[in-house]
Amino acid sequence: MSNLQVSVYRYNPETDSAPYMQEFQVDTKGRDLMVLDVLHLMKEQDSGLAYRRSCREGVCGSDGMNMNGKNGLACITPLSDVVKGNKLTLRPLPGLPVIRDMVVDMGLFYKQYERIQPYLQNDTPAPAIERLQSPEERDKLDGLYECILCACCSTSCPSFWWNPDKFVGPAGLLQSYRFLADSRDTATRERLTSLEDPFSVFRCRGIMNCVAVCPKGLNPTRAIGKIREMLLADAT
Amino acid sequence: MSNLRSLTFDAIIIGGGGSGLRAALELAKSGKKTAVLSKVFPTRSHTVSAQGGITCAIASADPDDDWRWHMYDTVKGGDYIADQDAAEYMCSEGPKAVFELEHMGLPFSRFDNGRIYQRPFGGQSKNFGEGGQAARTCAAADRTGHALLHTLYQNNLKNNTTFLNEWYAVDLVKNASGDVVGCIAMCIETGEVVHVKSKATVLATGGAGRIYASTTNALINTGDGIGMALRAGFPMQDMEMWQFHPTGIYGAGTLVTEGCRGEGGYLVNKDGERFMERYAPNAKDLAGRDVVARSMVMEILEGRGCGEKGDHVFLKLDHLGEEVLGKRLPGIVELSKTFAHVDPAKDPIPVVPTCHYMMGGIPTNIHGQAITQDENGNDHIVNGLFACGEAACVSVHGANRLGGNSLLDLVVFGRAAGMFIEGALNEGIEYLDASESDIEFAMKRITRWNESEEGGESIPELKAQLQDIMQNSFGVFREEKNMQEGVKKLADLRERIGKAHLPDKSNAFNTARVEALELDNLMEVAEATAIAALERKESRGAHSRYDYPDRDDVNWLKHSLFFPATKELKKRDVNFKPKTVDTFEPKVRTY
């Protein structure tokens, strides 16, 4: 038998008064499928099952979800990585309002991203060609610009669960540092000023769940540490 | 009166990928009331998957580089049915558009002198094919599409663009004069259907690679704009021209960038032979994609394929060393470990030609204005309708697109459409309002699904059959009888899709309804592709026929134009009149 037991979070606001877990039997034919493939097989059984997906190769960030207790991307998570005892439990990303089934309202997450002004600011006139940047300067953006906004990190962060409106969260702060670290950006002072309050950055308690779950192997905790250093240096 | 709520904009841009966001940025800066309507949050669009780079003569790797050389490569790569005025515009405007992206913050990789890093890609030459391999593809490691898409989204945030995210455009609304005056759209989260009124409707809906069973394309690439335009009665150009990328990961279909070969990787058959040396003695692994894909299939058919079934070849990268792989191709290392269970620093990646890109699409001029043709073969502008990016056929790619030219196409023509629409809005646009029956016509399809009854076939099953037909009859090599059968099967499938059943009719985030609506679009794209492929009786670029193995410039140095009402294929002249350079005359295409 290659039947996998999948327990999945269901909630349709039109018909359900409360969410519930539904059991599925999925025939994997013994293959080490990705979790997203398993969701497709489940959707063939019940077309009403709702989840987001797009690139199916881990670069678009649509299918962040909680798989056997850990956040990750369904499309690049093989069953062998998460399944224990032939059982898989799938829940939406924790801490955000559920719209339907595995689909969460990402509004708060995006709002924190927008708050850090995630775009290059440079108040000098643009040259006729590109702005020059040395390979060493450019290297500083590695590990920062690759974020895919999947929200796996922020929704695994207890500080973000408690204060999603005031704590920027690991994803937003990683992006904030991506611009602070960019040799072409001239808004460093303004960026730091907007983060000075006790919540925006300093609610990070260094729990490092963000680092443990990031499907792109990025390290928001390190970026947050760098922002703290800059804030402290700025204050003295 | 219609009980649909209506939203009114100066311009509505359908699609939040590279071309849509670039057009939106231009319009947002102009202060026009603009919205981007996208079925996914914009950074989930397929542009995000582009890897290798954006090809453009910015003269960084080679200070003497010239956009005219890039134009020559593009026209030759397209097997001479690229429109030369459009290729001229793209290649000459390109540097400006790329520098703008850099100024917006795109984190390009760099050379030691601080300029943007450029790598060699297939089909690139210096001095009009006489000066050897060029390195013209600007890259942000192997994540250029991701960097580009996020940068454009970020700059739209900066300029306060209005976004209708997770909204699905159902069909175009045409008025009594045949002008496009908006669309019917559905908010996916609530299921509400609204009438979007606009003076300019831009289809930036991307490609449709999901008509094939094996594709590098995202699951969302279902040709929604193509389906909408065909149902509204507008013709499609060069739909037989589908690019099969040489290096999709065997089994999974995920893309491995041509940049791997640009950085020095090469393909080998089961004997370990670097077989491209036989097929393209000069460019070898960096010949045009159509040439490389065909060569791979020949190797496989002649028994030199790799693996137990001999049905793929290997891409060898280990000789590049971990440092180059880590620096220049980090995403590929990741993808290949995940989907092929191979560490390219040690072992070769199993690859196979995989559907990648739609060269055809909605015919447009360089301003993005959609074009149709009257009975006498004369071009006419379609009022109110625009297209850019992969959904459009402007045509810069002709019969075969060069690597790195799609990202350039997106930004150059997204920008051009935005600029043109701004000007047109400033001059003033007045079209007749849509009537009740015009709106009802555009609502027909969603109404049909909502009223569909049990007994009809299942949507995923029909989709799988469509993909198999396309894969088996309209792949890398094509032949009359097989294609005729394919066309017949598609006609049968169209009827069955017309009776298919949507079991879930709920409103909140109903992804089954979206997939039903997407299936209609896949059907439209598949049919246009099939009929165009059957009727073009020659081999050119990506369209390769066993029964007509040669290029036929006497009869087919033309665009094909598929008309949905009659399902006929007509011809349209290719533009051979660039404004500032001499025409590139068709030559035998060798690499």
Side-chain angles (χ1 to χ4, degrees):
Chain A
M1 278 300 287
S2 48
N3 264 7
L4 179 72
Q5 277 269 107
V6 189
S7 180
V8 64
Y9 182 100
R10 300 301 304 266
Y11 174 67
N12 181 341
E14 288 170 75
T15 51
D16 304 328
S17 55
Y20 61 97
M21 299 302 289
Q22 186 186 357
E23 305 300 317
F24 280 84
Q25 299 281 330
V26 179
D27 184 4
T28 60
K29 301 196 169 83
R31 296 165 295 174
D32 187 16
L33 299 174
M34 298 294 176
V35 172
L36 183 64
D37 300 324
V38 173
L39 279 160
H40 292 337
L41 293 172
M42 288 157 67
K43 197 170 173 67
E44 282 175 19
Q45 293 179 37
D46 178 354
S47 68
L49 178 64
Y51 52 91
R52 293 187 175 102
R53 82 289 181 278
S54 174
C55 76
R56 63 78 175 92
E57 58 187 23
V59 293
C60 81
S62 297
D63 62 351
M65 59 184 67
N66 188 274
M67 299 167 285
N68 276 355
K70 191 175 172 189
N71 287 356
L73 298 178
C75 60
I76 52 168
T77 303
L79 291 175
S80 56
D81 268 13
V82 285
V83 170
K84 298 201 175 63
N86 207 36
K87 192 153 166 51
L88 176 64
T89 302
L90 300 176
R91 293 174 183 275
L93 291 174
L96 294 176
V98 172
I99 295 172
R100 174 171 176 171
D101 299 340
M102 304 297 285
V103 178
V104 292
D105 180 348
M106 308 260 289
L108 271 171
F109 173 80
Y110 292 140
K111 216 172 129 191
Q112 292 297 355
Y113 172 67
E114 289 171 27
R115 216 191 99 191
I116 60 98
Q117 305 197 323
Y119 38 81
L120 191 83
Q121 299 179 59
N122 187 312
D123 51 18
T124 62
I129 59 165
E130 70 270 43
R131 288 196 165 93
L132 301 183
Q133 185 173 48
S134 72
E136 294 71 30
E137 288 168 333
R138 170 58 184 76
D139 282 349
K140 293 190 175 137
L141 308 184
D142 283 339
L144 304 172
Y145 82 95
E146 301 92 325
C147 171
I148 58 173
L149 299 178
C150 65
C152 284
C153 60
S154 292
T155 63
S156 71
C157 171
S159 300
F160 190 75
W161 294 338
W162 288 118
N163 297 105
D165 52 339
K166 290 191 262 182
F167 173 50
V168 173
L173 290 170
L174 185 84
Q175 284 314 293
S176 180
Y177 186 62
R178 175 251 174 276
F179 290 100
L180 286 166
D182 195 322
S183 61
R184 301 169 296 170
D185 192 277
T186 57
T188 305
R189 174 52 63 93
E190 294 81 353
R191 290 184 187 282
L192 290 175
T193 304
S194 73
L195 296 172
E196 269 172 357
D197 63 281
F199 280 90
S200 298
V201 177
F202 289 101
R203 278 286 128 171
C204 170
R205 298 295 189 226
I207 299 166
M208 295 182 75
N209 279 0
C210 54
V211 183
V213 299
C214 178
K216 305 309 285 183
L218 309 179
N219 190 331
T221 304
R222 189 193 300 142
I224 294 169
K226 299 267 190 195
I227 298 176
R228 283 181 168 176
E229 282 170 27
M230 291 177 87
L231 281 168
L232 293 173
D234 207 42
T236 50
Chain B
M1 273 308 285
S2 158
N3 52 12
L4 290 185
R5 184 162 72 99
S6 65
L7 300 171
T8 306
F9 298 100
D10 290 327
I12 181 85
I13 292 153
I14 303 173
S19 72
L21 290 186
R22 188 62 191 83
L25 184 59
E26 209 59 40
L27 285 160
K29 284 196 274 190
S30 76
K32 302 295 174 199
K33 195 178 173 200
T34 315
V36 174
L37 187 152
S38 172
K39 66 178 175 178
V40 293
F41 182 79
T43 63
R44 327 285 183 214
S45 307
H46 187 55
T47 302
V48 82
S49 293
Q51 297 171 351
I54 177 167
T55 301
C56 186
I58 62 162
S60 168
D62 171 8
D64 298 324
D65 201 11
D66 189 317
W67 65 264
R68 293 164 193 86
W69 302 347
H70 180 198
M71 177 183 166
Y72 166 81
D73 292 343
T74 300
V75 169
K76 176 186 172 189
D79 222 347
Y80 298 96
I81 60 164
D83 288 312
Q84 299 200 7
D85 60 339
E88 175 188 39
Y89 182 80
M90 178 177 81
C91 298
S92 61
E93 283 288 293
K96 224 183 285 173
V98 169
F99 293 140
E100 281 169 2
L101 287 171
E102 195 283 331
H103 298 155
M104 287 181 217
L106 200 158
F108 283 111
S109 302
R110 301 286 172 157
F111 283 120
D112 284 340
N113 66 4
R115 292 209 61 191
I116 293 172
Y117 173 71
Q118 291 185 297
R119 60 164 57 111
F121 247 53
Q124 293 180 355
S125 76
K126 298 181 182 188
N127 197 18
F128 309 107
E130 304 294 321
Q133 176 75 39
R136 194 174 288 131
T137 301
C138 312
D142 58 357
R143 305 186 180 99
T144 315
H146 169 279
L148 185 149
L149 187 64
H150 280 252
T151 300
L152 284 175
Y153 178 64
Q154 292 163 349
N155 278 268
N156 273 283
L157 288 178
K158 185 178 180 183
N159 286 281
N160 296 311
T161 302
T162 301
F163 283 100
L164 298 172
N165 290 336
E166 297 186 325
W167 280 63
Y168 186 80
V170 178
D171 264 312
L172 295 172
V173 175
K174 282 202 300 184
N175 68 13
S177 326
D179 312 322
V180 172
V181 291
C183 67
I184 296 295
M186 176 179 77
C187 170
I188 298 175
E189 183 178 335
T190 62
E192 187 193 11
V193 175
V194 304
H195 173 203
V196 179
K197 296 183 189 178
S198 57
K199 290 173 185 160
T201 302
V202 184
L203 294 173
T205 49
R210 286 283 151 181
I211 63 169
Y212 287 93
S214 172
T215 175
T216 64
N217 282 196
L219 292 157
I220 58 169
N221 284 25
T222 53
D224 298 330
I226 307 296
M228 290 166 74
L230 282 167
R231 276 188 301 275
F234 300 120
M236 267 328 118
Q237 182 167 282
D238 295 338
M239 287 301 288
E240 64 278 29
M241 299 302 178
W242 281 87
Q243 178 163 85
F244 290 81
H245 195 290
T247 54
I249 292 182
Y250 172 68
T254 41
L255 174 69
V256 176
T257 176
E258 187 170 298
C260 291
R261 285 170 281 138
E263 298 288 349
Y266 55 87
L267 298 163
V268 294
N269 60 20
K270 75 167 182 191
D271 306 321
E273 182 204 8
R274 185 176 182 179
F275 58 85
M276 280 312 299
E277 290 178 334
R278 271 189 278 120
Y279 295 92
N282 298 313
K284 297 175 189 158
D285 294 80
L286 289 177
R289 286 181 178 170
D290 55 335
V291 175
V292 179
R294 272 194 294 277
S295 309
M296 291 166 70
V297 174
M298 293 305 293
E299 288 300 294
I300 291 167
L301 291 176
E302 288 170 10
R304 293 187 293 276
C306 305
E308 265 174 45
K309 295 183 191 161
D311 57 355
H312 56 273
V313 302
F314 282 133
L315 173 63
K316 189 172 142 45
L317 298 177
D318 58 302
H319 56 286
L320 301 181
E322 282 194 38
E323 201 188 322
V324 170
L325 290 173
K327 192 88 200 151
R328 301 292 182 210
L329 303 164
I332 292 308
V333 174
E334 227 178 279
L335 276 172
S336 128
K337 285 179 181 167
T338 307
F339 288 102
H341 309 294
V342 160
D343 177 357
K346 299 191 182 93
D347 297 301
I349 310 174
V351 291
V352 70
T354 305
C355 170
H356 184 57
Y357 188 86
M358 175 177 81
M359 268 76 73
I362 300 158
T364 70
N365 60 22
I366 60 168
H367 308 299
Q369 293 178 285
I371 288 168
T372 186
Q373 196 188 53
D374 65 21
E375 294 100 54
N376 304 320
N378 297 315
D379 282 357
H380 293 277
I381 302 286
V382 179
N383 284 333
L385 185 64
F386 297 80
C388 51
E390 192 170 343
C393 182
V394 52
S395 150
V396 283
H397 309 306
N400 169 64
R401 173 173 72 74
L402 290 189
N405 266 359
S406 59
L407 291 184
L408 188 64
D409 171 5
L410 301 186
V411 291
V412 167
F413 291 105
R415 178 175 173 269
M419 293 192 298
F420 181 84
I421 293 167
E422 182 190 349
L425 287 167
N426 285 339
E427 281 173 26
I429 299 176
E430 284 307 325
Y431 299 132
L432 207 59
D433 269 347
S435 71
E436 205 58 23
S437 64
D438 296 331
I439 295 169
E440 251 169 56
F441 183 81
M443 283 288 293
K444 242 172 51 183
R445 178 164 95 91
I446 193 164
T447 308
R448 206 297 285 168
W449 281 112
N450 287 340
E451 292 170 356
S452 68
E453 288 174 12
E454 273 182 50
E457 291 176 79
S458 100
I459 293 159
E461 179 55 32
L462 289 165
K463 179 158 76 180
Q465 288 184 25
L466 181 145
Q467 292 167 333
D468 283 340
I469 296 169
M470 296 310 291
Q471 193 74 29
N472 295 330
S473 298
F474 304 94
V476 174
F477 285 105
R478 300 163 174 185
E479 179 271 324
E480 184 92 2
K481 199 161 155 273
N482 193 9
M483 285 197 285
Q484 277 170 345
E485 276 167 27
V487 168
K488 253 188 242 157
K489 284 183 193 163
L490 285 175
D492 168 63
L493 199 68
R494 177 183 276 281
E495 241 177 73
R496 289 157 59 203
I497 289 175
K499 296 181 206 144
H501 177 222
L502 172 66
D504 180 8
K505 301 202 172 60
S506 61
N507 290 313
F509 223 101
N510 184 341
T511 50
R513 181 181 286 123
V514 172
E515 287 181 23
L517 293 165
E518 288 174 338
L519 177 61
D520 288 331
N521 294 327
L522 290 170
M523 183 66 232
E524 299 292 347
V525 177
E527 182 183 68
T529 298
I531 291 174
L534 180 63
E535 296 296 323
R536 185 183 278 271
K537 296 189 190 324
E538 66 157 351
S539 289
R540 179 185 300 273
H543 179 62
S544 190
R545 295 184 57 146
Y546 286 125
D547 43 358
Y548 297 93
D550 298 323
R551 192 172 87 187
D552 175 2
D553 283 349
V554 176
N555 295 301
W556 283 105
L557 192 61
K558 297 277 181 189
H559 295 300
S560 74
L561 216 52
F562 170 78
F563 286 81
T566 55
K567 302 194 194 297
E568 273 179 308
L569 196 78
K570 295 187 180 172
K571 294 177 186 176
R572 181 169 171 248
D573 287 341
V574 173
N575 180 294
F576 285 101
K577 288 184 182 143
K579 293 189 178 71
T580 63
V581 291
D582 291 338
T583 302
F584 294 116
E585 299 294 343
K587 290 192 292 196
V588 177
R589 186 167 161 254
T590 53
Y591 284 103

